[in-house]
Amino acid sequence: MKRKNDRGFPDRQAIVAFIKANQGNVGTREIAREFGLKNADRVELKRMLRELADDGTIKKKRHKVSEPDTLPSTLVADITGRDSDGELIASPTEWDEVESGEPPKILIVMPRRPKPGTAAGVGDRALLRVERIDETEGPAYRGHIIKVFDKAKSRILGVFRSLPEGGGRLVPVDKKSADRELNIAAADAQGAQDGDLVSVDIVRSRAFGLASGRVKEKLGSVKSEKAISLIAIYAHDIPLQFRPAAEREAEAAEPANLKGREDWRDVPLVTIDPPDAKDHDDAVHAQADDDPNNKGGFIVNVAIADVSFYVRPGTALDRDALDRGNSVYFPDRVVPMLPERISNNLCSLVPGEPRGALAVRMVIGPDGRKRSHTFHRILMRSAAKLNYAQAQAAIDGRPDDTTGPLLDPILRPLYTAYACVKRARDERDPLNLDLPERKILLKSDGTVDRVIVPERLDAHKLIEEFMILANVAAAEMLEKKSLPLIYRVHDEPTLEKVHALAEFLETLDVPFAKSGALRPALFNRVLAQLEGHDHFPLVSEVVLRAQAQAEYSAENYGHFGLNLRRYAHFTSPIRRYADLVVHRALVRALGLGEGALPDTETPETLGEVAAHISVTERRAMKAERETVDRLIAHHLADRIGSSFQGRVSGVTRAGLFVKLSETGADGLIPIRSLGTEYFNYDESRHALVGTRSGAMHQLGDVVDVRLIEAAPIAGALRFELLSSSGETAPQGRRASGRQRRPSFKAHPGRSPAKKHKPAKPKKARQGQEEQRQRPEGQGMVTMSTAPKIWTRETGLVEKRDVWTAMKRGFRGRCPRCGEGKLFRAFLKTADHCSACGLDFTPHRADDLPAYLVIVIVGHIVVPGILWIETNYTTPVWLSFAAYLPFTFFASLALLQPVKGAVVGLQWALRMHGFDDNPPDGIPPV
């Protein structure tokens, strides 16, 4: 029933209910039609929708509104301000505004007596426990602070570059700040040398010139070995050194013996790991089951290093392990969760040495399903240390001296048991996204030698499947014993993402059922239909992006990707704290001795631990990814101008992200360099579509690109598009299914015309076409862009585009996207837009007379006011005394907005061809 207030206008609850009931296709027009609103009510409706969006109650994207994406029960958030009542308001730290719109607001609820470490203020970052609020007014979520993280917002991490005259410059390591260097005076350098990685406090920001900073701490040198990973370690606050107390505990630890353990030293368990693995914490063994009731079945044993025996709850080792959450694996080093004495010695299952372990013995039926399992605390002795390729070669008929004696008694039973287990896996039908993983091989000096894609072998799948079985057995055992544990959970995709995927597949004429229960098999069928097709890489990428992110939780909601009802990490306690918690819980549940989970641990306390280690896991992934980006950027810095083949890995309003086939490097093609027309961002197709030609650059397209710019310290690359396998959008279906006129929201480029007059060439700015290079690691390495063709239009496509550009410039924003800042200082136009990359060089309005505004204000406005004032008795000198300061300050205030409006006008007219000269660097036809 439609609820309306006394004025006949629908209330907030009714509008929110209608939006929730019609997800994904609701706009102002639909709401007005539903509630019978007239045109006069549209203003009030838009105001109400804007308020709901500001509160986070709804999500507004372009002209559509929807219910905001739901937040997890625990997350990290930044406290951004206060509401009208003085209550703290926070926003999630990790939120994809491109995919999900504006982040929802979280109302922070402070207890009367805050616990130590939970007092927060504006600007802090905190770990929150959040819950949805049913009320339609105010923020959509309520949050309780679990922990406040230290955060220095004014501190910047970068590489110090010395200057001959003393002092130096700071080159920031963050991609977003790569071109915003800081000036470091000689007195503020604190002895920093060229190439030092330093932490800098911003001293002051000037209206003109560079901001100044003071070196706070010297962290290392990028000239040293393993320097690239050092940047990520400090940028993400990854603990590098262990506490002295933890080191002492590790050195004092004694090897495990038979006390309280079963003797499994005669069981021929083997480890199978990558060839460069440092820790060997899991071993496997399989044999045919001799039980007559299980003919064709197997006994599979999985033994995991007994880390809980050495790392006891509440110790310094435990505190350090919890702080780290997990080990971090960089191409040039490993930052372990535990000291080397534990991870690479006492808990490493090296051949021939007795080691303590926690083992699970699983009975597998002939159908491949696990029938039963038991856990044991054992003393074992590894029979061999193998790598994946070595084990696979032996099975394929190429054994070596190590695998030859193991082939029949150990390896063949393992592979036979895997073949049996694989049948059950295929019936379970987990999500089949087998994406290739690249590996960087380094030279002795720490630089990139080459990038390879290791072959995916049955040996990998064997270990993976046995580890999954062991993880499931651990979760089932702890649930049976009613003990709290940390689950590894993976939620199903949100309905919004499923609808978006269905709309995308519809553009490819691929059927996809949006209704009914979601199962991984649904996505697998789509992938199977397109296997071998040109669109397969594209669809695989879109299906992957539709999935939720796996995390740790004390509450179980299953693992969607693996299609399992319960799942916990048990098999890597050396490198994951979650596995250590599960080991302790098993020791407590089964009464296996020392190192058990304390009785004080509850689902609530473990929920906080799960939230923390989920954050550290994402931190490690981001640090590893950024290090790879920096290594490859260093590797490619001397190949500026070279051509590469790649595939479009991301599409945004700023341009195309491309992943190179050769190295897997990621870089951006700015939208301004795509071509000679306007490009609209088509969200449903994951594409940029030309409004005139219909040329479409889509996620997954194979492209040829030229490397234009490299920033090794930040790990950023910029490309220029040479050719693309992209198609042409069908007429009538361009830009989200219908032909649209160019708009500045669509990020216009330059529009060609069929009829034009030759343009006069304009002299290029000095140095515009010169190739600029700096020493390696010192900012950007660039080259001039390749020649393009510029043509002139005879008329504006849409006059309001010019007006929009002028309004954006008046507000000091980029005339194309309306987001990036136009000015870097007072009256100083920036070199390019920080959001969309638009080059401001051809239209900086530097020739705008500054006195133009003064003339307008001083000779027109003030005399006009004085003329009006003649009707009053106020003396003329008093009027001048009042209005001359007004004239001065009004002129000063309007100088920059007027210049911005002129920049917007210049850009709009230039893009439409109202300029006899072509844009700089682009010759006429």
Side-chain angles (χ1 to χ4, degrees):
M1 184 177 179
K2 303 174 186 177
R3 291 176 291 172
K4 297 188 178 183
N5 58 25
D6 296 337
R7 296 181 291 111
F9 197 89
D11 56 22
R12 294 165 60 100
Q13 290 86 350
I15 292 178
V16 172
F18 175 72
I19 292 172
K20 290 181 178 181
N22 298 271
Q23 281 288 343
N25 194 30
V26 178
T28 308
R29 181 183 303 172
E30 289 77 12
I31 297 175
R33 185 185 300 119
E34 171 69 14
F35 294 98
L37 302 180
K38 305 298 182 183
N39 289 336
D41 298 322
R42 293 290 184 93
V43 175
E44 175 69 14
L45 177 60
K46 289 180 179 179
R47 184 194 62 78
M48 182 177 290
L49 292 177
R50 187 163 54 250
E51 290 178 354
L52 290 171
D54 291 341
D55 291 342
T57 307
I58 64 173
K59 180 180 68 176
K60 190 174 183 181
K61 187 182 293 187
R62 295 190 179 182
H63 303 296
K64 298 295 182 181
V65 292
S66 62
E67 186 180 9
D69 291 343
T70 56
L71 296 177
S73 57
T74 51
L75 55 78
V76 177
D78 290 325
I79 300 176
T80 56
R82 297 180 183 271
D83 62 8
S84 58
D85 297 327
E87 301 291 343
L88 293 173
I89 300 296
S91 296
T93 302
E94 294 187 2
W95 185 266
D96 191 342
E97 293 192 24
V98 175
E99 292 289 334
S100 306
E102 291 294 324
K105 300 293 189 298
I106 305 172
L107 176 66
I108 303 298
V109 179
M110 298 295 294
R112 290 185 177 180
R113 296 181 179 179
K115 296 180 181 179
T118 62
V122 176
D124 287 337
R125 177 169 292 179
L127 180 66
L128 304 180
R129 184 186 299 112
V130 299
E131 57 185 356
R132 191 67 182 264
I133 303 176
D134 293 333
E135 301 173 4
T136 56
E137 295 189 7
Y141 292 88
R142 180 189 297 119
H144 301 268
I145 296 177
I146 299 174
K147 178 182 178 182
V148 177
F149 300 107
D150 294 332
K151 184 180 179 183
K153 301 194 74 169
S154 61
R155 187 164 297 178
I156 296 178
L157 189 69
V159 176
F160 180 81
R161 293 300 179 190
S162 60
L163 297 175
E165 61 272 17
R169 297 284 176 85
L170 182 81
V171 181
V173 301
D174 185 33
K175 285 184 180 181
K176 297 180 179 178
S177 306
D179 58 346
R180 301 174 190 170
E181 297 182 354
L182 269 70
N183 183 56
I184 309 293
D188 296 329
Q190 305 296 323
Q193 302 297 318
D194 186 75
D196 281 353
L197 180 66
V198 295
S199 174
V200 171
D201 286 337
I202 297 178
V203 178
R204 59 186 176 274
S205 297
R206 300 178 178 177
F208 301 95
L210 299 176
S212 298
R214 179 185 296 114
V215 174
K216 182 70 175 178
E217 184 180 7
K218 293 184 290 184
L219 306 173
S221 174
V222 296
K223 298 178 180 178
S224 64
E225 201 172 327
K226 301 182 179 180
I228 299 301
S229 58
L230 190 68
I231 295 175
I233 289 171
Y234 284 108
H236 295 280
D237 295 323
I238 297 174
L240 191 57
Q241 303 296 329
F242 290 96
R243 295 182 177 94
E247 294 280 12
R248 289 194 297 269
E249 289 177 3
E251 291 300 324
E254 297 291 336
N257 53 40
L258 271 175
K259 182 180 178 181
R261 300 179 182 275
E262 300 177 27
D263 190 353
W264 280 33
R265 286 176 291 181
D266 293 333
V267 179
L269 292 151
V270 296
T271 61
I272 305 177
D273 295 293
D276 56 351
K278 299 292 189 299
D279 47 21
H280 307 276
D281 57 353
D282 58 86
V284 293
H285 171 263
Q287 65 184 37
D289 193 357
D290 55 7
D291 186 346
N293 295 323
N294 190 29
K295 291 182 179 180
F298 292 86
I299 303 294
V300 174
N301 297 311
V302 175
I304 308 298
D306 191 0
V307 179
S308 63
F309 179 75
Y310 300 100
V311 184
R312 305 294 175 85
T315 61
L317 273 173
D318 182 50
R319 289 193 295 273
D320 270 9
L322 178 58
D323 285 346
R324 296 168 182 242
N326 46 262
S327 298
V328 188
Y329 293 86
F330 298 107
D332 57 352
R333 77 167 83 199
V334 176
V335 180
M337 187 182 78
L338 297 169
E340 188 173 345
R341 163 75 173 165
I342 302 294
S343 59
N344 287 359
N345 189 344
L346 298 177
C347 289
S348 185
L349 307 181
V350 294
E353 296 292 332
R355 290 289 185 262
L358 201 61
V360 55
R361 181 179 185 271
M362 297 175 288
V363 178
I364 308 299
D367 57 354
R369 298 179 182 273
K370 178 172 63 67
R371 291 190 171 186
S372 63
H373 58 264
T374 55
F375 284 87
H376 311 264
R377 208 168 198 178
I378 66 169
L379 190 70
M380 58 160 286
R381 182 187 291 117
S382 174
K385 181 181 71 173
L386 308 178
N387 61 60
Y388 292 117
Q390 189 180 17
Q392 190 64 48
I395 290 296
D396 293 341
R398 302 187 307 277
D400 57 20
D401 294 339
T402 302
T403 57
L406 307 176
L407 183 57
D408 290 327
I410 298 177
L411 292 179
R412 291 197 190 280
L414 278 172
Y415 274 79
T416 307
Y418 163 67
C420 179
V421 169
K422 186 176 181 297
R423 291 195 291 270
R425 179 198 180 278
D426 293 341
E427 290 180 8
R428 192 175 80 242
D429 202 10
L431 189 61
N432 188 21
L433 278 172
D434 197 3
L435 301 176
E437 294 186 6
R438 289 176 172 82
K439 183 175 182 180
I440 294 181
L441 301 182
L442 303 179
K443 300 176 183 176
S444 57
D445 61 356
T447 58
V448 176
D449 181 19
R450 64 187 188 276
V451 180
I452 63 172
V453 179
E455 184 182 358
R456 177 81 166 158
L457 304 172
D458 281 345
H460 295 92
K461 300 174 184 177
L462 180 152
I463 295 299
E464 181 182 284
E465 203 57 40
F466 286 172
M467 296 304 114
I468 290 175
L469 284 174
N471 289 335
V472 171
E476 291 177 349
M477 176 61 75
L478 293 176
E479 279 194 354
K480 181 180 179 181
K481 296 292 184 177
S482 301
L483 255 70
L485 72 147
I486 294 179
Y487 293 93
R488 180 64 170 179
V489 292
H490 180 220
D491 205 357
E492 64 182 25
T494 62
L495 288 178
E496 183 180 5
K497 290 187 175 182
V498 171
H499 282 281
L501 175 62
E503 290 178 4
F504 165 73
L505 292 175
E506 185 180 353
T507 65
L508 302 178
D509 295 325
V510 177
F512 185 81
K514 293 184 288 186
S515 58
L518 277 178
R519 293 287 184 269
L522 183 65
F523 299 97
N524 290 339
R525 283 196 294 270
V526 171
L527 296 172
Q529 291 177 40
L530 294 172
E531 189 168 4
H533 194 276
D534 292 342
H535 292 303
F536 182 75
L538 166 62
V539 175
S540 297
E541 187 72 26
V542 176
V543 169
L544 176 63
R545 296 183 181 208
Q547 307 305 312
Q549 187 173 22
E551 61 181 357
Y552 295 105
S553 173
E555 298 178 4
N556 181 31
Y557 51 85
H559 198 293
F560 178 80
L562 294 175
N563 200 13
L564 294 169
R565 294 182 179 178
R566 56 191 62 83
Y567 190 66
H569 275 167
F570 160 76
T571 54
S572 294
I574 283 180
R575 60 185 180 91
R576 293 190 303 230
Y577 193 82
D579 304 56
L580 177 57
V581 172
V582 170
H583 275 234
R584 290 171 176 171
L586 288 169
V587 171
R588 172 180 162 186
L590 302 174
L592 297 178
E594 299 174 309
L597 189 72
D599 294 338
T600 55
E601 292 288 6
T602 64
E604 289 73 23
T605 58
L606 287 184
E608 297 177 8
V609 173
H612 171 70
I613 60 180
S614 294
V615 171
T616 61
E617 179 188 40
R618 289 190 287 271
R619 177 183 68 182
M621 292 170 62
K622 189 173 183 181
E624 292 166 1
R625 184 171 61 250
E626 289 179 358
T627 299
V628 169
D629 290 343
R630 291 189 178 100
L631 281 169
I632 294 181
H634 272 275
H635 179 58
L636 297 178
D638 57 353
R639 300 180 65 181
I640 301 297
S642 299
S643 299
F644 303 91
Q645 188 177 81
R647 190 178 292 275
V648 176
S649 59
V651 181
T652 69
R653 294 177 178 85
L656 304 173
F657 287 93
V658 174
K659 183 182 290 291
L660 300 185
S661 303
E662 178 184 336
T663 60
D666 286 297
L668 174 68
I669 303 176
I671 194 171
R672 59 184 166 87
S673 66
L674 282 182
T676 56
E677 63 177 314
Y678 290 88
F679 280 85
N680 288 316
Y681 174 57
D682 189 334
E683 185 178 8
S684 63
R685 294 176 179 231
H686 298 272
L688 294 175
V689 182
T691 54
R692 288 181 175 268
S693 66
M696 183 164 60
H697 302 292
Q698 193 173 33
L699 185 72
D701 282 351
V702 177
V703 293
D704 291 317
V705 297
R706 178 184 290 121
L707 180 61
I708 300 298
E709 199 170 42
I713 294 300
L717 301 173
R718 183 166 67 87
F719 298 119
E720 179 187 49
L721 183 66
L722 299 178
S723 64
S724 171
S725 65
E727 302 174 354
T728 300
Q731 293 292 332
R733 291 184 63 182
R734 297 178 191 166
S736 301
R738 58 189 179 92
Q739 181 68 29
R740 298 197 300 187
R741 293 180 295 177
S743 68
F744 281 86
K745 292 182 180 179
H747 293 288
R750 302 182 176 96
S751 300
K754 295 181 180 179
K755 297 180 180 180
H756 60 271
K757 294 188 295 184
K760 299 177 182 179
K762 181 179 180 180
K763 184 178 179 180
R765 282 180 170 82
Q766 184 177 3
Q768 182 75 18
E769 298 300 320
E770 295 179 0
Q771 180 172 342
R772 299 185 290 116
Q773 293 198 13
R774 294 184 182 181
E776 182 177 349
Q778 186 171 345
M780 299 287 187
V781 182
T782 67
M783 68 164 289
S784 61
T785 57
K788 301 182 181 67
I789 301 300
W790 179 80
T791 57
R792 183 174 177 227
E793 281 193 346
T794 57
L796 285 176
V797 177
E798 192 170 357
K799 292 183 178 179
R800 70 177 184 188
D801 289 351
V802 179
W803 180 238
T804 301
M806 292 180 66
K807 287 193 297 183
R808 288 174 174 171
F810 188 84
R811 295 197 305 268
R813 295 296 172 181
C814 170
R816 179 165 75 177
C817 68
E819 297 176 4
K821 291 184 178 180
L822 181 59
F823 297 97
R824 56 181 172 84
F826 184 69
L827 290 180
K828 295 293 184 181
T829 310
D831 294 330
H832 58 81
C833 176
S834 59
C836 69
L838 174 65
D839 186 9
F840 295 142
T841 304
H843 29 264
R844 300 169 63 93
D846 289 334
D847 54 348
L848 174 70
Y851 59 80
L852 176 63
V853 176
I854 300 176
V855 170
I856 295 174
V857 176
H859 294 74
I860 299 177
V861 177
V862 172
I865 296 176
L866 290 176
W867 178 73
I868 296 173
E869 292 284 351
T870 55
N871 296 328
Y872 299 91
T873 59
T874 307
V876 176
W877 65 267
L878 187 59
S879 298
F880 272 103
Y883 288 115
L884 284 179
F886 167 77
T887 302
F888 174 77
F889 288 110
S891 301
L892 198 64
L894 287 173
L895 274 175
Q896 184 159 295
V898 170
K899 181 172 181 177
V902 174
V903 170
L905 177 64
Q906 285 184 345
W907 175 81
L909 295 180
R910 194 179 189 86
M911 294 304 101
H912 286 298
F914 283 85
D915 190 346
D916 290 336
N917 299 313
D920 293 338
I922 304 180
V925 177

